[in-house]
Amino acid sequence: YDGAIIVNKGDLLATTTSDANGKVNFGLDLPFSTYKISEEKTLWGYIKCDAQTVTTSYPDTTTEDSPYVNTFYNELVRGRLEVTKTGPTLSAFENGQFVWKERGLVGAEFTVYADGDIYSADNQQRLVYADGDKVGTLTTDANGKGVLTNLPLGDYTLVETKAPSGYVIDRTPISFSVEYVNDATPTVVV
Protein backbone atom coordinates (compact mmCIF):
# COMPACT_ATOMS: atom_id res chain seq x y z
CA TYR A 1 0.00 0.00 0.00
CA ASP A 2 1.48 3.31 -1.06
CA GLY A 3 -0.80 5.61 0.98
CA ALA A 4 -2.93 6.72 -1.97
CA ILE A 5 -6.60 7.45 -1.29
CA ILE A 6 -8.65 4.51 -2.58
CA VAL A 7 -12.10 5.66 -1.45
CA ASN A 8 -13.05 9.23 -0.57
CA LYS A 9 -15.16 9.93 2.51
CA GLY A 10 -18.82 10.18 1.55
CA ASP A 11 -18.51 8.29 -1.75
CA LEU A 12 -21.38 5.95 -2.56
CA LEU A 13 -19.73 2.58 -3.07
CA ALA A 14 -22.67 0.32 -3.88
CA THR A 15 -26.39 -0.24 -3.65
CA THR A 16 -28.15 -3.56 -3.59
CA THR A 17 -31.47 -5.16 -2.67
CA SER A 18 -32.03 -7.86 -0.10
CA ASP A 19 -32.88 -11.33 -1.36
CA ALA A 20 -35.94 -13.45 -0.47
CA ASN A 21 -34.27 -14.35 2.85
CA GLY A 22 -33.54 -10.72 3.70
CA LYS A 23 -29.81 -11.13 3.08
CA VAL A 24 -27.63 -8.57 1.34
CA ASN A 25 -24.25 -9.06 -0.30
CA PHE A 26 -22.57 -5.99 -1.72
CA GLY A 27 -20.03 -8.16 -3.52
CA LEU A 28 -17.25 -5.64 -2.91
CA ASP A 29 -13.61 -6.22 -2.14
CA LEU A 30 -13.07 -3.18 0.09
CA PRO A 31 -10.03 -2.18 2.06
CA PHE A 32 -10.34 -2.45 5.83
CA SER A 33 -11.74 0.85 7.08
CA THR A 34 -14.85 2.46 8.54
CA TYR A 35 -18.01 2.50 6.42
CA LYS A 36 -21.58 3.72 6.80
CA ILE A 37 -24.33 1.31 5.77
CA SER A 38 -27.82 2.73 5.40
CA GLU A 39 -31.15 1.31 4.36
CA GLU A 40 -32.62 3.55 1.68
CA LYS A 41 -35.98 1.84 1.29
CA THR A 42 -37.85 -0.77 3.28
CA LEU A 43 -40.93 -2.88 2.67
CA TRP A 44 -44.42 -1.46 3.10
CA GLY A 45 -45.55 -1.70 6.72
CA TYR A 46 -42.07 -1.50 8.22
CA ILE A 47 -39.89 1.20 9.76
CA LYS A 48 -36.61 1.94 8.02
CA CYS A 49 -33.50 1.05 10.05
CA ASP A 50 -31.06 3.69 11.25
CA ALA A 51 -27.75 3.90 9.43
CA GLN A 52 -24.91 1.96 11.03
CA THR A 53 -21.22 2.77 11.05
CA VAL A 54 -19.05 -0.32 10.80
CA THR A 55 -15.32 -0.77 11.08
CA THR A 56 -13.62 -3.69 9.40
CA SER A 57 -10.15 -4.83 10.36
CA TYR A 58 -7.74 -7.72 9.96
CA PRO A 59 -8.80 -10.57 12.24
CA ASP A 60 -5.24 -11.95 12.32
CA THR A 61 -2.12 -12.11 10.20
CA THR A 62 -3.05 -15.38 8.48
CA THR A 63 -6.51 -14.47 7.14
CA GLU A 64 -6.67 -12.89 3.68
CA ASP A 65 -10.16 -11.47 3.96
CA SER A 66 -12.76 -10.94 6.64
CA PRO A 67 -16.39 -10.67 5.59
CA TYR A 68 -18.44 -8.24 7.63
CA VAL A 69 -21.72 -9.65 8.92
CA ASN A 70 -24.33 -7.50 10.62
CA THR A 71 -28.04 -7.65 11.27
CA PHE A 72 -30.49 -4.86 10.63
CA TYR A 73 -33.89 -5.37 12.23
CA ASN A 74 -36.99 -3.66 10.83
CA GLU A 75 -39.88 -3.00 13.19
CA LEU A 76 -43.47 -3.29 12.00
CA VAL A 77 -45.60 -0.16 12.10
CA ARG A 78 -48.20 -0.49 14.86
CA GLY A 79 -51.31 1.40 15.85
CA ARG A 80 -52.24 3.04 19.13
CA LEU A 81 -55.93 3.68 19.82
CA GLU A 82 -56.71 6.47 22.27
CA VAL A 83 -60.31 6.83 23.49
CA THR A 84 -61.83 9.54 25.67
CA LYS A 85 -65.23 8.93 27.28
CA THR A 86 -67.00 12.00 28.66
CA GLY A 87 -70.40 12.68 30.14
CA PRO A 88 -72.27 15.05 32.41
CA THR A 89 -71.24 14.83 36.06
CA LEU A 90 -72.76 16.61 39.01
CA SER A 91 -70.50 19.50 39.85
CA ALA A 92 -72.43 21.55 42.40
CA PHE A 93 -75.78 22.59 43.77
CA GLU A 94 -76.27 26.36 43.49
CA ASN A 95 -79.37 28.49 44.05
CA GLY A 96 -81.56 25.41 44.29
CA GLN A 97 -80.21 24.00 40.99
CA PHE A 98 -77.94 21.10 40.16
CA VAL A 99 -74.89 22.16 38.14
CA TRP A 100 -73.61 19.60 35.63
CA LYS A 101 -70.24 19.67 33.87
CA GLU A 102 -68.86 17.54 31.06
CA ARG A 103 -65.96 15.47 32.41
CA GLY A 104 -64.00 12.31 31.68
CA LEU A 105 -65.72 9.16 32.94
CA VAL A 106 -63.89 6.32 34.66
CA GLY A 107 -64.80 2.67 34.06
CA ALA A 108 -66.16 2.68 30.51
CA GLU A 109 -65.09 -0.52 28.77
CA PHE A 110 -64.60 -0.74 25.01
CA THR A 111 -63.93 -3.77 22.83
CA VAL A 112 -62.11 -3.60 19.50
CA TYR A 113 -63.01 -6.04 16.71
CA ALA A 114 -61.39 -6.70 13.33
CA ASP A 115 -63.47 -5.12 10.57
CA GLY A 116 -62.38 -7.48 7.78
CA ASP A 117 -59.48 -9.90 7.73
CA ILE A 118 -56.21 -8.41 8.98
CA TYR A 119 -52.98 -9.87 7.64
CA SER A 120 -49.40 -9.46 8.79
CA ALA A 121 -47.43 -6.77 6.99
CA ASP A 122 -44.43 -9.09 6.46
CA ASN A 123 -45.51 -10.25 2.98
CA GLN A 124 -46.21 -13.74 4.35
CA GLN A 125 -50.02 -13.34 4.11
CA ARG A 126 -50.36 -14.65 7.67
CA LEU A 127 -53.85 -14.02 9.03
CA VAL A 128 -53.57 -12.09 12.30
CA TYR A 129 -57.29 -11.46 12.91
CA ALA A 130 -60.27 -12.78 10.97
CA ASP A 131 -63.25 -10.52 10.29
CA GLY A 132 -65.16 -10.06 13.57
CA ASP A 133 -62.39 -11.37 15.84
CA LYS A 134 -62.01 -9.65 19.20
CA VAL A 135 -58.70 -7.78 19.10
CA GLY A 136 -58.65 -6.33 22.61
CA THR A 137 -60.37 -4.27 25.27
CA LEU A 138 -59.63 -1.03 27.02
CA THR A 139 -61.07 0.62 30.12
CA THR A 140 -61.12 4.35 30.78
CA ASP A 141 -59.17 5.79 33.71
CA ALA A 142 -60.11 8.61 36.11
CA ASN A 143 -59.64 11.13 33.29
CA GLY A 144 -61.92 9.19 30.95
CA LYS A 145 -59.00 8.03 28.81
CA GLY A 146 -58.26 4.51 27.61
CA VAL A 147 -55.51 3.17 25.36
CA LEU A 148 -55.00 0.01 23.31
CA THR A 149 -51.57 -0.45 21.73
CA ASN A 150 -49.78 -2.77 19.33
CA LEU A 151 -52.55 -2.85 16.72
CA PRO A 152 -51.51 -4.26 13.33
CA LEU A 153 -52.31 -2.23 10.21
CA GLY A 154 -55.95 -2.77 9.28
CA ASP A 155 -59.59 -1.81 9.79
CA TYR A 156 -61.35 -2.07 13.14
CA THR A 157 -64.63 -1.44 14.93
CA LEU A 158 -64.79 -0.01 18.46
CA VAL A 159 -67.87 -0.81 20.59
CA GLU A 160 -68.65 0.30 24.13
CA THR A 161 -69.30 -2.93 26.04
CA LYS A 162 -69.71 -1.57 29.58
CA ALA A 163 -70.91 1.85 30.67
CA PRO A 164 -69.51 3.68 33.67
CA SER A 165 -71.58 3.29 36.83
CA GLY A 166 -74.71 5.41 36.62
CA TYR A 167 -74.55 5.90 32.82
CA VAL A 168 -76.28 4.28 29.85
CA ILE A 169 -74.15 2.26 27.43
CA ASP A 170 -73.70 3.64 23.90
CA ARG A 171 -73.48 0.59 21.62
CA THR A 172 -72.97 2.65 18.43
CA PRO A 173 -70.05 1.00 16.58
CA ILE A 174 -67.21 3.32 15.57
CA SER A 175 -65.07 2.30 12.61
CA PHE A 176 -61.41 3.29 12.40
CA SER A 177 -58.29 2.29 10.50
CA VAL A 178 -54.64 1.93 11.36
CA GLU A 179 -52.93 2.97 8.14
CA TYR A 180 -49.32 3.00 7.03
CA VAL A 181 -48.03 6.58 6.92
CA ASN A 182 -44.39 6.12 5.91
CA ASP A 183 -41.22 4.26 6.84
CA ALA A 184 -40.33 6.81 9.54
CA THR A 185 -43.57 6.69 11.58
CA PRO A 186 -43.42 3.69 13.95
CA THR A 187 -46.75 4.26 15.72
CA VAL A 188 -49.96 5.46 14.12
CA VAL A 189 -52.19 7.17 16.69
CA VAL A 190 -55.93 6.89 16.09
Side-chain angles (χ1 to χ4, degrees):
Y1 174 71
D2 63 5
I5 295 175
I6 299 170
V7 177
N8 291 310
K9 183 176 182 176
D11 284 353
L12 175 63
L13 301 179
T15 59
T16 189
T17 302
S18 58
D19 65 18
N21 297 314
K23 297 195 183 290
V24 171
N25 183 343
F26 287 100
L28 299 174
D29 185 17
L30 296 172
F32 293 111
S33 187
T34 299
Y35 298 95
K36 178 180 170 185
I37 301 174
S38 63
E39 181 178 46
E40 297 303 312
K41 183 180 177 188
T42 190
L43 296 173
W44 179 90
Y46 285 89
I47 300 302
K48 188 166 58 170
C49 295
D50 293 332
Q52 294 184 21
T53 300
V54 298
T55 301
T56 57
S57 60
Y58 289 105
D60 57 53
T61 58
T62 61
T63 304
E64 285 187 32
D65 65 355
S66 176
Y68 175 76
V69 177
N70 193 26
T71 301
F72 286 77
Y73 183 78
N74 292 94
E75 294 284 341
L76 286 166
V77 173
R78 295 294 186 172
R80 175 183 170 94
L81 174 64
E82 297 178 356
V83 173
T84 302
K85 176 70 173 181
T86 61
T89 59
L90 183 59
S91 172
F93 185 76
E94 298 173 354
N95 303 321
Q97 299 287 323
F98 292 106
V99 178
W100 300 88
K101 290 192 177 178
E102 192 81 10
R103 293 193 178 140
L105 301 177
V106 66
E109 184 178 284
F110 294 87
T111 302
V112 175
Y113 299 95
D115 188 6
D117 291 344
I118 298 174
Y119 291 91
S120 62
D122 61 6
N123 293 326
Q124 302 300 313
Q125 289 300 304
R126 183 178 53 84
L127 183 65
V128 179
Y129 296 108
D131 184 26
D133 278 358
K134 179 180 173 180
V135 174
T137 61
L138 60 93
T139 303
T140 57
D141 62 15
N143 298 313
K145 299 196 179 294
V147 175
L148 185 61
T149 60
N150 209 28
L151 294 169
L153 300 174
D155 297 322
Y156 299 89
T157 301
L158 173 74
V159 178
E160 185 174 359
T161 48
K162 180 183 171 194
S165 179
Y167 291 85
V168 176
I169 195 167
D170 180 358
R171 295 187 190 277
T172 307
I174 300 169
S175 295
F176 69 95
S177 296
V178 176
E179 297 177 342
Y180 183 69
V181 176
N182 58 43
D183 62 10
T185 306
T187 303
V188 179
V189 179
V190 182

